[in-house]
Amino acid sequence: MSSAELILVYEPEQACRERLEASGMDAPAAAEISSYLAQSTDLAAEFEAIAFECARRDITFVPVQLDDAAKVLSERDPTTTLVWSLTDGIAYFRGGAAPALARLNGLKTLGAEDSLFALCQDKFRSGVVLGALGLPVPPAGLVRDGAWLAPAPASRDGWFVKPNRLGAKIGIWPESHCRELPQAWEISRRIFSRYCDDAVVQPYVAGRNVRVSFLAIDPEMPASEALGVFFVESGADFQTMEDSLALYGGTGAAAKAENRYSEPDLVPVASVQPEADTRIRALCLDLMKKLGLRDVFSVDLRVEPDNTLHLIEFEVCPGLPCFDFRAYCRRQWNMSLPEAIAAAAAARLAI
């Protein structure tokens, strides 16, 4: 019997979809929302490989569905248990409960403290906090079903409209970048009708999309050097819901099999805009210091040709089996995803 356990708590895609439909949401919208949990669907195929890599490090790997987490965590030994939540969520998803349950039972966690699991899911409040900390986040207005709760900031290049509690970089529809405020108002009505969510309205910012990934594996390596900083080149200005569905889970697998979608290219920012790379690494260190990010996280930005940075969002539960995080594990750590998961758990347990 191993002396330590890694408990990976995940919320199944199907369970979320069924719960949303039972609450009255129509099936297509419930399917779109639950698709954000496709990483749990994708990672399940690798549980055996993760268990093997953990066993090599004298760790027992225990994947636990979210609905079973309260009972399982209440029975664990705080001296030998590490909890890693694969999902966050305070609205459509409930994964934010996992780190709180771990804290309730005195268990060690991998990742940020549980308060950030709630903050990162509310994009408007998150932006307010990031702005107050002096980080370069675009200002935002907030509108609920056509009623402004906070006025939209002025903008010369139009606005970007997105759900407040879903993906901060996903515009849902191609017209989510709009030129007139009445259009933003109408999109907010559509968002509320389909997802029962408020809409964030931000000035549109130009630039290329950047994804930063981080996983703490080597305690001797400075955090700034452990970051993976890549341009995400998909050929589109921003990701829509259709694009997202084509990347992950069963829908993504079908799209790839039918050659309807290909993974974006990842280009190291340092190879194109070295000054931007330096600034991004400094910004991420600021996030770690001021906000408390640690162990595993991702950051999305827009970067202009003059190296101006726009911080779009941070995620405390990045999509581990997604193409970008797998590529980061290969390029930064020369590891497969199961190897990297096990190595990160071993490093955290050693602290």
Side-chain angles (χ1 to χ4, degrees):
M1 183 71 176
S2 297
S3 59
E5 281 189 324
L6 168 61
I7 298 182
L8 184 78
V9 181
Y10 66 98
E11 185 172 7
E13 191 177 358
Q14 182 176 346
C16 174
R17 183 170 61 251
E18 292 174 351
R19 179 170 47 81
L20 291 173
E21 290 182 17
S23 72
M25 182 170 289
D26 67 74
E32 289 180 355
I33 291 172
S34 64
S35 73
Y36 284 80
L37 299 175
Q39 66 162 317
S40 64
T41 303
D42 292 340
L43 195 61
E46 297 179 80
F47 282 169
E48 184 175 341
I50 297 170
F52 174 80
E53 293 298 335
C54 284
R56 292 179 55 215
R57 295 163 174 84
D58 198 31
I59 300 170
T60 298
F61 174 64
V62 184
V64 175
Q65 293 192 21
L66 182 61
D67 287 332
D68 301 325
K71 181 177 186 299
V72 171
L73 297 187
S74 70
E75 299 170 343
R76 260 34 191 198
D77 181 352
T79 65
T80 59
T81 304
L82 176 66
V83 179
W84 189 340
S85 180
L86 186 61
T87 58
D88 46 30
I90 55 171
Y92 312 103
F93 320 119
R94 301 167 297 150
L101 286 171
R103 182 162 60 89
L104 179 67
N105 290 284
L107 306 176
K108 182 181 291 189
T109 59
L110 191 146
E113 65 177 39
D114 47 293
S115 64
L116 293 185
F117 281 70
L119 182 64
C120 75
Q121 282 289 293
D122 189 313
K123 306 308 179 182
F124 182 77
R125 293 177 184 176
S126 174
V128 171
V129 171
L130 294 170
L133 291 172
L135 297 163
V137 60
L142 188 68
V143 57
R144 179 177 298 157
D145 195 19
W148 291 96
L149 306 181
S155 177
R156 293 178 300 178
D157 298 314
W159 292 266
F160 193 68
V161 187
K162 58 198 179 187
N164 185 44
R165 295 175 299 178
L166 288 173
K169 61 188 175 296
I170 292 181
I172 304 297
W173 303 290
E175 59 270 27
S176 292
H177 174 202
C178 58
R179 296 292 177 177
E180 305 293 338
L181 273 180
Q183 293 174 297
W185 179 87
E186 181 57 37
I187 293 171
S188 83
R189 298 287 302 271
R190 292 171 62 187
I191 287 173
F192 190 85
S193 174
R194 188 165 184 81
Y195 307 111
C196 298
D197 199 7
D198 298 339
V200 172
V201 181
Q202 293 178 309
Y204 172 82
V205 292
R208 298 168 71 179
N209 296 313
V210 169
R211 166 58 63 91
V212 180
S213 299
F214 178 83
L215 184 63
I217 288 180
D218 182 357
E220 301 299 320
M221 179 178 289
S224 62
E225 296 179 17
L227 295 162
V229 185
F230 299 98
F231 286 119
V232 182
E233 306 288 11
S234 67
D237 185 35
F238 60 88
Q239 193 179 72
T240 65
M241 177 60 79
E242 183 179 0
D243 296 332
S244 179
L245 288 170
L247 275 175
Y248 315 117
T251 306
K256 293 180 182 68
E258 298 168 9
N259 295 317
R260 290 187 286 109
Y261 198 82
S262 58
E263 293 179 353
D265 293 326
L266 297 173
V267 179
V269 172
S271 69
V272 182
Q273 292 180 239
E275 176 61 27
D277 179 82
T278 299
R279 293 185 184 185
I280 290 169
R281 292 177 189 275
L283 183 151
C284 289
L285 291 181
D286 256 2
L287 282 167
M288 297 179 77
K289 177 182 178 181
K290 296 177 179 179
L291 203 60
L293 296 184
R294 70 175 197 199
D295 297 337
V296 59
F297 61 84
S298 67
V299 179
D300 286 291
L301 306 100
R302 298 272 274 187
V303 178
E304 298 192 50
D306 66 357
N307 301 314
T308 297
L309 306 183
H310 302 281
L311 174 58
I312 304 302
E313 74 166 338
F314 70 92
E315 296 178 349
V316 294
C317 286
L320 298 182
C322 299
F323 72 95
D324 54 292
F325 204 86
R326 289 183 188 276
Y328 162 72
C329 291
R330 290 194 305 269
R331 299 187 192 191
Q332 177 66 38
W333 300 114
N334 193 30
M335 291 181 178
S336 67
L337 181 60
E339 289 173 325
I341 289 173
R348 184 73 179 97
L349 283 163
I351 297 175

